[in-house]
Amino acid sequence: MATIYITRKIPDIGISMLKEKGFELDISPKDRPLTKRELLKALKKKPYDGVLCLLTDTINGEVFDAVPSAKMFANYAVGFNNITIEEAKKRGVTITNTPGVLTEAVAEHTLALLFAVVKRVVEGDTFLRKGKYKGWGPELFLGEELQGKTLGILGAGRIGGRVAEVASKGLGMNVIYYDIKQSPEFEQSSSATFRATLEEVLKEADIVSVHVPLLPSTTHLINAERLRQMKKTAYLLNTSRGPVIDEDALVVALKTGVIRGAGLDVFEHEPKLSKGLAKLQNVVMTPHTASATKSARDGMAKLAAENLIAFFEGKVPPNKVS
Ligand code: GLV
Ligand code: GLV
């Protein structure tokens, strides 16, 4: 069977599936992303047939050329902006991702950030731990209610769809959305209404939640000008990819009251935070853990293994993206 390089340990279920099928596996022993040099060096060690890579690995022409024997790269993520698809195509390398299994985890996490920021959960927690709580007060940490508010979804894929559905059915929010194409399916599950432009969503929404893939066309989709189009009372959520938001512009907007708050799981220069972001009280942040549930991460490991198995059995992998 095929020999696979795995750039960082993934949950056992995926490893076992591959071993059972007789795959030979080399797994990076480091519990962190490999540097570019380390990755190239590791891949040059053997004529690997395939690679299981993570969203933290930049996979470009140089990487493909380091291991020309590898005709299959299985990405352990739904987003695959870390891979230069054009370079894969040129070399006839198959690329797969892990969609679907993390939809619920990411959608719920998006709502966790929403609740945390509008109910000021983290601010309140910090206040208590610092010993500042001197007793109940009628206006202590006033927050917001979500019922009847308008949620604007940017990107009507699976995750955006699930966030919209829970917000609409569970919280009684009105949902509006923008995508490059209208989605009847999305509209049905959340009674959402389409807006023909991004600007309309930004102007009308009390909460804007970003669920687009990172592409050249979505890089800095939310910039200073677009932040100014939002309501001053609005909140921005991002569980997609950091560079979709101009983070420096967001820091200014949060600091100067252009918008009221934000909930972020992803960052433009991850793992670094833009200057000033960590000082702000009106932002709640998590370290790219939206899909970090046992169920989702096991599901991703299973899917990545299934894709590799299918490919090396001569079949079309179920989640082929290129
Ligand atoms: C997580 O960010 C993913 O794309 O799977
Ligand atoms: C990803 O799973 C999406 O389509 O939102």
Side-chain angles (χ1 to χ4, degrees):
M1 243 313 178
T3 304
I4 308 293
Y5 187 74
I6 301 181
T7 63
R8 185 168 174 180
K9 195 197 161 293
I10 60 162
D12 287 332
I13 184 165
I15 307 284
S16 310
M17 284 170 65
L18 291 168
K19 282 191 177 156
E20 269 163 36
K21 286 279 180 184
F23 281 81
E24 201 176 298
L25 308 177
D26 283 350
I27 306 172
S28 163
K30 298 184 168 60
D31 189 22
R32 58 163 174 81
L34 296 175
T35 63
K36 179 181 161 186
R37 262 186 73 195
E38 287 169 339
L39 178 64
L40 292 172
K41 196 173 156 207
L43 293 177
K44 281 178 184 162
K45 265 202 193 131
K46 276 189 200 169
Y48 291 106
D49 301 302
V51 177
L52 196 160
C53 55
L54 274 53
L55 62 92
T56 39
D57 302 316
T58 299
I59 307 294
N60 53 22
E62 195 180 358
V63 173
F64 293 128
D65 290 340
V67 58
S69 50
K71 291 298 175 206
M72 158 66 165
F73 277 62
N75 206 39
Y76 180 78
V78 62
F80 48 89
N81 53 284
N82 57 307
I83 303 179
T84 315
I85 296 295
E86 277 318 301
E87 297 295 330
K89 279 198 179 132
K90 266 193 226 161
R91 294 163 178 82
V93 177
T94 295
I95 306 293
T96 61
N97 70 340
T98 60
V101 292
L102 45 65
T103 302
E104 190 59 31
V106 178
E108 287 180 12
H109 195 94
T110 308
L111 293 162
L113 288 173
L114 173 56
F115 277 116
V117 69
V118 303
K119 308 288 178 192
R120 306 179 65 181
V121 171
V122 180
E123 273 181 277
D125 182 278
T126 307
F127 180 80
L128 276 160
R129 287 169 200 267
K130 285 190 173 158
K132 291 187 178 170
Y133 182 46
K134 304 296 176 210
W136 185 88
E139 291 183 293
L140 182 64
F141 284 115
L142 290 185
E144 298 289 334
E145 281 159 38
L146 295 168
Q147 188 180 48
K149 295 259 164 40
T150 298
L151 171 66
I153 298 274
L154 305 179
R158 299 175 199 83
I159 298 169
R162 183 62 185 149
V163 172
E165 187 179 15
V166 178
S168 142
K169 291 183 181 159
L171 299 170
M173 296 182 78
N174 308 311
V175 183
I176 58 173
Y177 77 104
Y178 170 74
D179 197 319
I180 44 176
K181 63 176 196 292
Q182 202 168 344
S183 163
E185 209 184 4
F186 181 92
E187 290 170 21
Q188 211 179 11
S189 62
S190 59
S191 319
T193 48
F194 182 65
R195 293 292 181 268
T197 64
L198 172 60
E199 284 69 27
E200 285 170 75
V201 172
L202 297 178
K203 285 198 175 109
E204 283 179 54
D206 299 300
I207 319 287
V208 173
S209 194
V210 183
H211 302 283
V212 297
L214 178 60
L215 300 166
S217 59
T218 60
T219 302
H220 284 191
L221 182 71
I222 304 296
N223 56 19
E225 187 195 337
R226 293 207 162 124
L227 286 162
R228 281 194 300 271
Q229 289 165 345
M230 290 174 65
K231 293 182 179 175
K232 277 191 164 30
T233 50
Y235 294 84
L236 178 64
L237 305 172
N238 189 12
T239 51
S240 64
R241 285 292 182 263
V244 172
I245 297 176
D246 177 342
E247 206 169 277
D248 283 334
L250 178 62
V251 170
V252 173
L254 288 168
K255 211 187 257 178
T256 59
V258 171
I259 65 169
R260 185 169 286 165
L264 308 173
D265 184 53
V266 288
F267 305 91
E268 185 170 2
H269 308 289
E270 224 168 287
K272 289 204 181 85
L273 301 183
S274 290
K275 194 160 174 268
L277 188 60
K279 292 213 174 79
L280 299 169
Q281 295 303 309
N282 53 345
V283 59
V284 173
M285 301 183 282
T286 49
H288 205 149
T289 46
S291 69
T293 64
K294 168 102 171 87
S295 155
R297 292 289 163 85
D298 277 357
M300 290 161 69
K302 229 174 123 202
L303 271 194
E306 278 168 12
N307 282 307
L308 283 161
I309 292 166
F311 181 84
F312 288 102
E313 286 181 345
K315 299 176 196 142
V316 177
N319 310 109
K320 186 174 186 307
V321 294
S322 168

